[in-house]
Amino acid sequence: MKMITQNTFDFLNQLNENNNRDWFADHKSEFQKIDKEAKSFFNEIYTDFQKDDSLEKIQFYRIYRDVRFSKDKTPYNKHLSASYARTKPMLRGGYYIRIENNASFVGGGFWEPNTEDLLRIRKEIELDASELREIINESTFKHFFGKLEGEELKSAPRNFDKNHSDIDLIRKKQFLVSRSFTNEEVLASNFKEEIIATFKAMRPFFNYMSDVLTTNLNGESII
């Protein structure tokens, strides 16, 4: 069974303190070792979770940062991460894992819905938010994630009533969930099982969004 080791946190902690190209070049062999271990771990999760969901190809995120449009010019990410998208067009939503010293988490949802999808979600909530409310207020959801997260508008979107009873959901631009893990929890032998359990806890939310995004407001399939 693949696992994340203390070496990963040690390297990422040192990288955080020495985030420059000279230091990284001197320690690249160390990075390549922990990167290989992490990818093996992420791949094992992908293989195991395929038994429970239909996933597209795994995506590994590079350690190198794109600093062209960022005020932060440090060249390297201080984490290792991967994501797993569900198989479109019928299944929507994506799973995400980040390994970072004292800041690891597992998350998922809808990071940047396109304009059409975002409007469709908002229209569904405007019509009837009871099913989504039931999902995010369910005890398992609250146990794993606490609440639905994501950036939101300060006021109502255009053509939506700012006094709508579900305006808190309609204002959202992102629909995300996350669960944090301590270093000790990441290093534990059951971490992979906890990740998969967390992914499974997202399923009712993902299934709801999949139903919304593959139908019109009358509930008729658009696929």
Side-chain angles (χ1 to χ4, degrees):
M1 182 179 69
K2 309 298 183 183
M3 292 180 62
I4 301 297
T5 67
Q6 183 60 45
N7 290 337
T8 296
F9 288 127
D10 291 343
F11 178 86
L12 293 175
N13 187 46
Q14 293 177 57
L15 176 60
N16 186 44
E17 296 174 354
N18 303 275
N19 202 325
N20 62 78
R21 290 179 174 81
D22 289 341
W23 184 91
F24 190 84
D26 290 341
H27 296 81
K28 192 167 184 178
S29 61
E30 297 171 43
F31 164 72
Q32 289 172 333
K33 182 177 180 180
I34 66 148
D35 187 52
K36 182 179 179 180
E37 290 176 350
K39 286 179 177 176
S40 294
F41 180 71
F42 295 150
N43 270 320
E44 188 168 285
I45 293 169
Y46 175 80
T47 299
D48 288 357
F49 197 57
Q50 282 280 28
K51 303 169 188 175
D52 296 289
D53 205 348
S54 177
L55 304 175
E56 296 180 349
K57 186 177 180 180
I58 184 173
Q59 179 176 351
F60 300 112
Y61 294 93
R62 303 176 72 219
I63 196 74
Y64 308 99
R65 297 182 64 246
D66 183 353
V67 300
R68 290 174 298 171
F69 308 107
S70 175
K71 292 181 180 179
D72 178 4
K73 298 301 181 181
T74 51
Y76 306 104
N77 288 312
K78 56 183 180 180
H79 58 263
L80 303 174
S81 57
S83 65
Y84 315 81
R86 301 178 84 206
T87 305
K88 291 183 177 180
M90 295 305 296
L91 302 180
R92 303 297 179 89
Y95 306 97
Y96 179 78
I97 303 172
R98 174 177 290 190
I99 305 299
E100 182 176 347
N101 189 43
N102 296 316
S104 299
F105 71 91
V106 172
F110 301 81
W111 180 260
E112 291 182 336
N114 62 42
T115 302
E116 181 180 351
D117 283 353
L118 183 56
L119 179 61
R120 175 67 184 90
I121 294 168
R122 286 172 169 166
K123 285 290 187 181
E124 184 71 25
I125 294 170
E126 180 185 45
L127 181 67
D128 181 8
S130 60
E131 186 176 353
L132 179 57
R133 292 281 187 198
E134 183 177 352
I135 290 168
I136 64 178
N137 288 326
E138 199 271 328
S139 58
T140 299
F141 184 95
K142 285 185 172 294
H143 170 73
F144 278 91
F145 311 116
K147 64 180 181 179
L148 188 62
E149 303 173 353
E151 293 183 4
E152 56 187 52
L153 299 172
K154 293 182 179 179
S155 186
R158 188 163 64 173
N159 298 325
F160 286 87
D161 181 4
K162 67 179 181 180
N163 296 314
H164 192 284
S165 59
D166 298 298
I167 195 62
D168 60 315
L169 296 174
I170 294 171
R171 285 202 312 261
K172 286 192 172 296
K173 299 188 293 182
Q174 302 172 321
F175 298 84
L176 306 173
V177 295
S178 66
R179 178 189 178 191
S180 297
F181 289 86
T182 66
N183 286 11
E184 291 73 19
E185 290 170 329
V186 171
L187 297 174
S189 60
N190 68 338
F191 181 48
K192 184 180 73 172
E193 286 70 26
E194 287 297 318
I195 291 174
I196 291 176
T198 306
F199 284 172
K200 288 181 179 179
M202 298 181 200
R203 189 74 54 75
F205 170 53
F206 282 3
N207 288 345
Y208 166 82
M209 287 293 199
S210 297
D211 288 343
V212 169
L213 294 173
T214 57
T215 60
N216 61 26
L217 278 173
N218 293 320
E220 300 163 333
S221 175
I222 59 174
I223 301 301

